[in-house]
Amino acid sequence: MKPDFPQESLITEDCCATSKPLCEGSPANPGGDAGDPCCGGPPQESFITGNCGATLKSACDCLPADPTGDTDEVCCGGPPPPKTSPYDKPGYRVQRFVAEFIGTAVGPVPRIHSQWGVADRFGTILTRLGVGRHDYRVAPGIYSVGHPDAEAPVVVTANFKLTFDTVRRDLNGRDLWLLVLDTHGINVWCAAGKGTFSTREVISRVNTSGLAHLVQHRKLILPQLCATGVSGRDVKKGCDFEVVWGPIRSKDIVPFLDQGMTADDTMRRVTFSFMERLVLIPVELSYLPKPTLWVLLAAFIISGIGPSIFSIQGALLRGGMAMAAYLVGVIAGAALVPALLPYLPGRAFSVKGAITGVVAGAVVALFFSWHTNGWGMVGLILWSTAISSYLAMNFTGSTPFTSPSGVEKEMRRAIPIQAASALAAVAVWITSGFIA
Amino acid sequence: MKEFRYLPDVTTLKLDRELCIGCGICHLVCPHGVFEPDGNVMEIVDLNGCMECGACSHNCPVDAISVNPGVGCASLIINTWLKDKRITKSSGGGCCC
């Protein structure tokens, strides 16, 4: 990966190229900050490393004669790994998705590639599991995809890395500028709802990135779903760039551009396919470990109550049954409802969850029918149903079609019933402990 | 998204056809195809498809659209209720937002 920074036609800081030749293969100032080492007089020998410092000698006899490491001669073990990226600066590390930095009128701009490495895949999986989800982001600013020129389109997106990775993958083979906003690491739609993907952020990022010096045209392609937080008219007033409403999904950006920046109806409608629902399930489940510990504690205490005031054996056996009902309730509400969403009867999510919860609870009750009585079986079903209904209702926040008015209406009806069902489950369960 | 329908007749969405100039931006930004052109103005063709995201009203140049925008998320609403009662809670449940 040889940087071609000095050769780029858009470079402006040409003092380096003319008066003081660069070290071969090393950019003048890849990080792009103010201190330009080759313009400010002779460099200090003692700090020189890498292939600029050809005179630097090591005291160790077993090191390669050529300190740049370009030789196959090694002392111990295999050959050394590649040397540090010429773009790295103290305190900074160049991201793996950056292929190189290109010189532009506004300074070096990272050119990103479309491939996903192991770290990207691993990061995606962890984020989908809910691990580190709130701090999975890239630095906001201007990036280049391919080799864009002054006429190349400008696509705007969020700095949630899952979003960023999807966009760069889907833009493979295109030449354009990618303006990444600081949405605080939140995806486009949620960021627009939360106010971080906002008119103000678009304007300020356009201005701070110097986009007007980079492109001749005055158009920004914004993702349609940011329209909740961005007013096209106000962006135009604030930075003189016209907003073109791009498609919802990044995979449609390329067809959108090919059709002369027009989107057909399918590009403008949200979908909620089986796979789109399935990938949300782990995050739904990731919220539960902490409340589960409290349920566990409560289940064992309540289950131990009986004729002998408290029975350890009862706590373990009956507590285990209560936890089994809880776990199937969790699966019924947080996994089955998302997976089977369009096939479950009812509009309200709490109703869908109650249906899966009754079925799942009944399975558990039948499974334990030799270990408990009729009261106990009813208690297990009520418990599973309440849990499932509540968790299904919470899935409303992850769907792209529930209105706040609707959710509030549903909750005002459902929560009292869910609470009553859970309390009834506890009462019936305690009763069954005395009858057994 | 006709296959996914939430509670009907609850949306706060309203379009004032007297003010509408038929520019069609609402049609562009709506993720549910609620608006369609009708002569020189727009009309609401699928009111119950509305999820009250507010994209249309936020971008209407003549303020012809009114909606009480928000996020249809149960745990967010629970947190808001708790906050109204001055009970603080760290974070909600299964909500992306």
Side-chain angles (χ1 to χ4, degrees), chain A residues 69-95:
Chain A
D70 288 343
T71 167
D72 289 339
E73 195 187 329
V74 292
C75 76
C76 352
K83 64 180 188 180
T84 308
S85 161
Y87 301 118
D88 273 329
K89 293 197 300 178
Y92 296 83
R93 190 169 61 190
V94 176
Q95 298 275 355

Side-chain angles (χ1 to χ4, degrees), chain A residues 341 347-353 392 395-396 399 401-402 410, chain B residues 6:
Chain A
L341 194 64
R347 293 272 175 96
F349 284 47
S350 49
V351 172
K352 292 173 188 280
F395 187 62
T396 51
T399 72
F401 67 98
T402 53
E410 162 166 3
Chain B
Y6 195 48

Side-chain angles (χ1 to χ4, degrees), chain A residues 101-113:
Chain A
F101 288 82
I102 58 171
T104 72
V106 297
V109 168
R111 188 172 72 78
I112 56 176
H113 60 73

Side-chain angles (χ1 to χ4, degrees), chain A residues 190 228 230 232 270 394 400 405 410, chain B residues 1 6 32 52-53 59 72 94 96:
Chain A
C190 289
T228 339
V230 178
V270 285
N394 270 321
S405 297
E410 162 166 3
Chain B
M1 288 288 284
Y6 195 48
H32 288 287
E52 304 180 307
C53 71
N59 277 280
C96 75

Side-chain angles (χ1 to χ4, degrees), chain A residues 190 194 224 227-233 245 268-270 272 287 347 390 393-394 396 400 402-406 410-411, chain B residues 1 4-8 10 28-33 51-53 58-60 72-75 78 93-97:
Chain A
C190 289
K194 274 184 184 296
Q224 183 187 330
T228 339
V230 178
S231 156
R233 276 171 302 133
W245 294 109
R268 295 235 172 268
R269 303 280 177 274
V270 285
F272 205 34
Y287 294 109
R347 293 272 175 96
Y390 181 77
M393 193 179 72
N394 270 321
T396 51
T402 53
S403 62
S405 297
E410 162 166 3
M411 288 169 67
Chain B
M1 288 288 284
F4 291 105
R5 295 269 101 175
Y6 195 48
L7 306 189
V10 290
L28 281 186
V29 297
C30 176
H32 288 287
M51 59 174 291
E52 304 180 307
C53 71
H58 198 48
N59 277 280
C60 178
C73 172
S75 54
I78 291 174
C95 175
C96 75
C97 303

Side-chain angles (χ1 to χ4, degrees), chain A residues 12-78:
Chain A
T12 53
E13 294 158 330
D14 57 358
C15 68
C16 308
T18 52
S19 58
K20 293 186 179 67
L22 294 166
C23 302
E24 191 184 343
S26 176
N29 182 21
D33 70 358
D36 192 340
C38 71
C39 301
Q44 288 184 286
E45 293 261 331
S46 58
F47 288 107
I48 291 177
T49 56
N51 59 0
C52 293
T55 55
L56 190 70
K57 291 284 180 199
S58 170
C60 174
D61 289 341
C62 69
L63 277 181
D66 177 4
T68 61
D70 288 343
T71 167
D72 289 339
E73 195 187 329
V74 292
C75 76
C76 352

